[in-house]
Amino acid sequence: MNIDAPSSDRPADAASERRDALRALLPVLLAVLPFGMVYGAVAVQKGLTTAEALGFSGAIFAGASQLAALELMGIGAPIWSILLTVFALNFRHVLYSASISRHLGGFSPVQKALAFFLLVDPLFGSAEVRAAQRRLTPTFYFTYGVTLYCSWLLATLAGASFGRLIEDPDAFGLDFVLPVYFLGLVMSFRRRASFYPVAGTSLVVSVIAYWLAGPPWHVSLGGLAGIAVAAVIGPPKRQAGRETRRGVAS
């Protein structure tokens, strides 16, 4: 028996997979749609056309990186500085990809490539939670990811079209909503044996890195520290299972 397998690995019909994905996505959209509109508004206020704002969203698909790039473009920063900033902000997606790839065994090569492109914070959290409960299917993943992607583009279009009506985008405080949601997803793993050492180490390293180096490096350094602790601790359940089997065999 594979003790590390999800609690429910039975096949599910496509309709229920889509319903589950949309149900998980709904609270995210309540934050993503206004955030995308704010990005679209800021983009046109910085001098981008509606088509350019949409192209930005379609190619990068990362709100924080897009806003940071707009700010740097607005002050005339060199292109290498903009690219470095976007890379630093999105480096955590390398860690996301390494983690989520464990659950993509049923995906074709083309599906895997698309899955990595669509992989953003909310999708990563929801996919990990789903994989802990049952097998992660392409139907669930792409229903969530493609709907989120299209919603981001539509929100950008709405913001770019009516952006000049929003005088102060920062007043909405939307940068606070998604981290709270993501924290809730992270806490759903709190019953795992190594959760508190890993999460605690990530928290401490992130805070220290924030004080010493500032954003966005604290996110990636905190994630790498948590991965290192998890690697040192190892999978205790699997080890315990092996010891039990050895005892029975002897």
Side-chain angles (χ1 to χ4, degrees):
M1 179 179 180
N2 183 3
I3 59 176
D4 293 324
S7 58
S8 176
D9 200 30
R10 64 183 184 280
D13 62 277
S16 66
E17 289 285 289
R18 285 191 288 267
R19 285 195 300 270
D20 290 347
L22 294 176
R23 190 179 300 115
L25 178 60
L26 179 59
V28 178
L29 289 180
L30 297 178
V32 167
L33 292 177
F35 189 38
M37 294 178 67
V38 169
Y39 159 73
V42 172
V44 295
Q45 290 174 0
K46 295 291 185 180
L48 269 65
T49 65
T50 299
E52 289 170 339
L54 275 174
F56 231 49
S57 284
I60 300 179
F61 188 35
S65 298
Q66 292 174 219
L67 288 171
L70 285 177
E71 291 298 323
L72 291 173
M73 290 166 60
I75 63 175
I79 186 65
W80 67 263
S81 176
I82 298 173
L83 293 176
L84 180 61
T85 299
V86 172
F87 173 79
L89 281 168
N90 288 331
F91 181 75
R92 67 189 184 280
H93 292 271
V94 176
L95 309 180
Y96 290 169
S97 299
S99 178
I100 208 68
S101 62
R102 301 171 300 149
H103 311 305
L104 303 184
F107 289 53
S108 70
V110 174
Q111 288 176 328
K112 288 180 180 179
L114 179 59
F116 290 136
F117 172 76
L118 294 172
L119 188 58
V120 290
D121 295 338
L123 178 53
F124 168 73
S126 294
E128 285 287 347
V129 171
R130 183 72 171 182
Q133 299 169 347
R134 62 188 308 155
R135 185 172 63 89
L136 180 64
T137 65
T139 301
F140 178 92
Y141 192 100
F142 290 120
T143 299
Y144 191 113
V146 173
T147 303
L148 180 60
Y149 181 74
C150 293
S151 299
W152 178 250
L153 293 179
L154 290 174
T156 298
L157 176 61
S161 301
F162 306 102
R164 291 176 179 82
L165 301 177
I166 304 177
E167 297 181 357
D168 185 12
D170 294 335
F172 288 88
L174 295 171
D175 56 336
F176 183 70
V177 178
L178 284 178
V180 171
Y181 171 80
F182 198 66
L183 177 62
L185 291 177
V186 170
M187 291 304 297
S188 66
F189 296 99
R190 65 187 181 277
R191 292 185 178 85
R192 294 190 176 185
S194 58
F195 173 81
Y196 288 103
V198 172
T201 300
S202 294
L203 173 62
V204 171
V205 172
S206 294
V207 171
I208 294 175
Y210 184 85
W211 285 339
L212 296 178
W217 298 105
H218 65 295
V219 177
S220 298
L221 292 176
L224 289 171
I227 290 174
V229 171
V232 170
I233 294 176
K237 289 185 178 181
R238 182 179 298 174
Q239 292 170 356
R242 288 174 180 171
E243 292 175 358
T244 301
R245 287 194 295 270
R246 289 172 183 171
V248 173
S250 61

